[in-house]
Amino acid sequence: MTEQPISIMVVDDHPIWRDGVARDLAERGFEVRATAGDAASAVRIARTVRPDVVLMDLNLGEESGVEATRKITGELTDTRVLVLSASGEHNDVLEAVKAGASGYLVKSASAEELVAAVRRTWAGDAVFNAGLAGLVLGEYRRMASGPEESGAPKLTDRETEVLRLVAKGLTARQIADRLVLSHRTVENHVQSTLRKLQLHNRVELARYAIEHGLDGEPD
Amino acid sequence: MTRRVRLPGDRYRGPVTKDPAAPLWLSAVLLRIITLIFAIGVVVNHQGEYAHTGLAYATVGGMAVWTVVTSVYYLRDTGKAVWFIFVDLLVCVIAMAMSRLVLTHEQLTVLAVPLVPTVWVTAVVAVGAVRAGLSGGTLFGMVVAVANYAVRGYVDTDLTRDMVLLVAIGAVLGLAATTSRQSAERLAKALRVEAATAERERLARTIHDSVLQVLARVRKRGREVGGEAAELAEEAGRQEVALRALVSAAPLESAEDGTADLRPRLQVLATDRFQVSVPPTAVTMPASAAGELAYLVREALENVDRHAGLGARAWVLLEDLGDEVVLSIRDDGVGIPAGRISAAEHEGRMGIARSIRGRVSDLGGTITLETAPDLGTEWEIRVPARRAAR
């Protein structure tokens, strides 16, 4: 970090955890601008403080972190969301990623791993672990088995290859070695798998809204 | 979106105590009332022609009383005793036997005038069927038919036709009663599973909101503090991962059609060193195949524990390609040096590989192993997806 520290917002309904993470990050030179304990106030506060990175728990009581992620990434183009969840509720993680989150880290990750993940998120990279890669692979295959004309995105052979290796626990560095690619290229492939999924998700939501008259047009 | 929370054991008492064949009991009772009216009509029609008209009316009167008694008894909500049903059968047979005194010999044999109870006796066949299913219905039909022969004292086409009809009514109704009880049972089972799942979800939420959060925090802080705290942190971490795997995996039950989702069977194998990645949608296969594959993965992970070296980690990836299910198990341990595979085979270290290979080929699949010194090992199991047409 040079002049300006990366600004953070921590969203978690558990105060012990929320304050612990905020303290850890502040000690390591991040600017923790805000914390929130539920989805609605997370969206409201994010609009005001415009953090670089939101650390988002998914289990937030009434409204889920998935919706908050969708609203925050939809409205604030410069803000990225990193899901930080102990849940292991896998489909929630996939939904959050489809809604716009840049990646997923388990809560049991060490402080060093957390710091690295926040930096990567801020830099625009996708933060993947093996579990998320397995889910994304499966999601693409599920879409591919649907009707041909649905316009669902497809993975290139190379992207599939890279995702499979991520799902088998290889690091980007190891994947680059094995496939004889640059580290950067591997990162780009991973990122692109996420971006296509998110784009498709937004298109689908918009189509659904128009078909069901939810697009905000006055009657 | 509102979610209804059900308390297990609350709403589901219904199907258990109330006989699902209750509508059939009502039909049996109605049948007896309608046939009684018919029997009265027949007696009125033949009065004066009988050997003993008075006795005919007495019999019909007895039948009417018995109709009231049985109607009350069968429409009660409590169980129907077997002894009462045999008494019912006996009463019907006696009513038929009374015809030998009521009807003249000519009426009984040549004129083929109906017996006093006429079709009223079919009601008891229905009762047997509703109470005891196919066998009960058939038995009661036979008994009434035999009584019919005995009272008439001869065998002819008409009486045999009556027998066929009686037995058929008993069999068909009995089958219907059995079927309706079975489907009610299935419904009750489905409701129980649903309640158990809801309860499981509630527990998972509670555990997630409390224990897991604290364990995650202990693990993280302990590691940073170091020393003995770090050891405690490791222990907390192991418990955290195990608990999370337990509460997040779907129940392991097989579905009604004998298929099962392979994912939860693998997810419970996750620990702090073993990570399990699965697709977002169910990977269904015959329950036996799912059990077998889960067993293979467990074996492979135990092998990692034994041979891959201290602290080796492993990743399990499950992929559903539609026509094929692919399972990869990779570890980052010491691997097997190139020249060592045959030696390892002798040491029994590859014995496990052989047994895995045998099991995989039983499932019609293939297995490949990639290994190199210090690059760990990677198993890939491919099994054709033999799933019921959906």
Side-chain angles (χ1 to χ4, degrees):
Chain A
M1 265 166 300
T2 48
E3 314 90 44
Q4 203 137 46
I6 300 173
S7 60
I8 309 280
M9 173 167 141
V10 183
V11 183
D12 199 305
D13 64 341
H14 227 263
I16 301 182
W17 178 265
R18 191 169 66 222
D19 300 341
V21 169
R23 198 175 53 233
D24 285 353
L25 288 173
E27 279 168 10
R28 285 168 174 79
F30 293 91
E31 181 200 346
V32 179
R33 263 193 209 164
T35 60
D38 63 88
S41 54
V43 175
R44 205 174 53 242
I45 296 169
R47 277 187 197 127
T48 322
V49 305
R50 298 180 165 270
D52 295 324
V53 176
V54 176
L55 294 179
M56 179 74 76
D57 184 24
L58 294 181
N59 265 304
L60 292 176
E62 282 170 31
E63 206 183 336
S64 96
V66 175
E67 268 318 298
T69 300
R70 193 187 316 285
K71 285 177 186 152
I72 290 173
T73 54
E75 289 178 29
L76 309 171
T77 43
D78 293 332
T79 297
R80 298 203 170 87
V81 172
L82 174 64
V83 172
L84 192 58
S85 178
S87 72
E89 277 153 82
H90 300 104
N91 284 352
D92 268 13
V93 173
L94 180 65
E95 286 309 311
V97 161
K98 281 161 72 179
S102 306
Y104 160 61
L105 192 69
V106 287
K107 277 194 170 173
S108 48
S110 68
E112 286 67 37
E113 288 171 307
L114 175 63
V115 167
V118 170
R119 292 236 164 86
R120 287 165 49 77
T121 303
W122 175 76
D125 280 338
V127 175
F128 260 61
N129 72 348
L132 179 55
L135 287 171
V136 171
L137 263 179
E139 179 68 3
Y140 273 100
R141 286 185 178 130
R142 184 187 68 76
M143 292 189 297
S145 65
E148 195 70 33
E149 70 284 3
S150 65
K154 289 187 174 61
L155 290 177
T156 64
D157 289 347
R158 191 56 117 180
E159 285 165 349
T160 306
E161 201 175 12
V162 169
L163 267 193
R164 287 193 79 211
L165 293 177
V166 176
K168 290 179 194 175
L170 277 79
T171 62
R173 189 70 64 194
Q174 289 170 318
I175 296 171
D177 285 349
R178 200 189 266 207
L179 300 181
V180 201
L181 295 171
S182 78
H183 180 252
R184 191 64 249 161
T185 310
V186 171
E187 293 282 2
N188 288 344
H189 281 311
V190 173
Q191 224 182 72
S192 132
T193 63
L194 266 202
R195 212 165 280 147
K196 281 195 276 189
L197 206 55
Q198 291 167 349
L199 189 64
H200 178 65
N201 194 245
R202 282 194 194 279
V203 170
E204 286 289 285
L205 279 180
R207 183 186 297 164
Y208 180 88
I210 291 165
E211 277 169 11
H212 292 78
L214 307 169
D215 53 341
E217 294 281 329
D219 292 327
Chain B
M1 193 176 66
T2 58
R3 182 178 288 176
R4 223 169 13 168
V5 177
R6 288 207 191 110
L7 297 177
D10 190 18
R11 254 186 77 185
Y12 305 101
R13 241 171 265 138
V16 181
T17 51
K18 197 176 175 204
D19 189 351
L24 290 174
W25 282 112
L26 181 61
S27 321
V29 166
L30 285 177
L31 179 65
R32 194 182 303 245
I33 294 168
I34 292 163
T35 50
L36 175 69
I37 294 167
F38 180 75
I40 293 170
V42 169
V43 169
V44 170
N45 206 25
H46 288 276
Q47 64 178 330
E49 301 165 14
Y50 288 131
H52 291 281
T53 301
L55 196 54
Y57 277 110
T59 306
V60 166
M63 282 159 51
V65 170
W66 189 241
T67 299
V68 171
V69 170
T70 54
S71 299
V72 170
Y73 184 80
Y74 292 138
L75 292 182
R76 290 185 320 168
D77 254 350
T78 48
K80 282 82 177 168
V82 175
W83 67 262
F84 185 87
I85 284 162
F86 276 100
V87 169
D88 191 359
L89 181 62
L90 185 67
V91 170
C92 289
V93 171
I94 289 171
M96 291 169 84
M98 291 304 284
S99 307
R100 280 194 83 90
L101 301 176
V102 171
L103 273 62
T104 62
H105 183 71
E106 205 183 14
Q107 281 178 324
L108 210 52
T109 53
V110 186
L111 296 174
V113 168
L115 301 184
V116 179
T118 67
V119 287
W120 183 74
V121 290
T122 45
V124 80
V125 177
V127 163
V130 175
R131 175 64 174 79
L134 178 63
S135 49
T138 314
L139 175 71
F140 275 41
M142 297 284 274
V143 170
V144 172
V146 167
N148 201 15
Y149 285 133
V151 171
R152 292 286 183 183
Y154 61 92
V155 173
D156 76 349
T157 321
D158 280 354
L159 291 188
T160 307
R161 182 200 57 210
D162 285 353
M163 182 190 80
V164 170
L165 280 176
L166 281 167
V167 173
I169 287 170
V172 169
L173 260 179
L175 220 61
T178 307
T179 310
S180 77
R181 283 201 184 92
Q182 278 170 350
S183 48
E185 238 166 65
R186 252 181 239 135
L187 179 67
K189 189 184 167 200
L191 290 173
R192 273 197 304 275
V193 170
E194 196 193 11
T197 309
E199 174 63 6
R200 196 187 165 83
E201 276 169 12
R202 193 187 64 78
L203 274 177
R205 270 195 299 279
T206 313
I207 290 173
H208 170 265
D209 286 347
S210 54
V211 187
L212 279 181
Q213 304 284 338
V214 175
L215 282 178
R217 186 72 196 146
V218 167
R219 181 187 192 186
K220 202 157 162 314
R221 272 312 280 172
R223 221 190 252 163
E224 287 157 14
V225 171
E228 199 181 332
E231 282 168 35
L232 290 175
E234 284 313 309
E235 187 50 41
R238 272 193 286 280
Q239 297 305 322
E240 180 208 336
V241 176
L243 192 56
R244 193 195 308 152
L246 268 181
V247 299
S248 65
L252 303 181
E253 290 94 16
S254 324
E256 189 79 7
D257 58 356
T259 63
D261 184 1
L262 178 56
R263 299 178 306 157
R265 290 168 200 243
L266 299 182
Q267 283 170 312
V268 295
L269 302 176
T271 67
D272 58 331
R273 294 194 295 116
F274 301 150
Q275 199 175 345
V276 177
S277 307
V278 297
T281 41
V283 181
T284 49
M285 56 175 65
S288 57
E292 193 77 332
L293 286 174
Y295 170 82
L296 292 180
V297 172
R298 197 160 44 233
E299 286 285 296
L301 291 177
E302 275 170 20
N303 213 32
V304 170
D305 260 339
R306 278 196 295 270
H307 298 299
L310 212 61
R313 298 193 298 163
W315 292 266
V316 176
L317 170 62
L318 170 65
E319 294 169 281
D320 186 354
L321 304 188
D323 53 349
E324 206 177 31
V325 171
V326 184
L327 259 172
S328 315
I329 303 126
R330 189 184 83 89
D331 70 67
D332 63 355
V334 294
I336 308 173
R340 295 268 301 148
I341 289 187
S342 60
E345 213 154 333
H346 286 301
E347 284 168 20
R349 184 171 158 190
M350 295 297 286
I352 194 77
R354 263 209 306 276
S355 95
I356 288 182
R357 191 162 284 148
R359 282 161 180 270
V360 171
S361 61
D362 285 348
L363 293 170
T366 58
I367 180 166
T368 52
L369 167 66
E370 271 180 47
T371 181
D374 294 327
L375 280 178
T377 55
E378 183 173 334
W379 297 93
E380 190 173 274
I381 299 171
R382 289 178 172 264
V383 178
R386 269 169 302 178
R387 55 195 62 175
R390 277 179 291 179

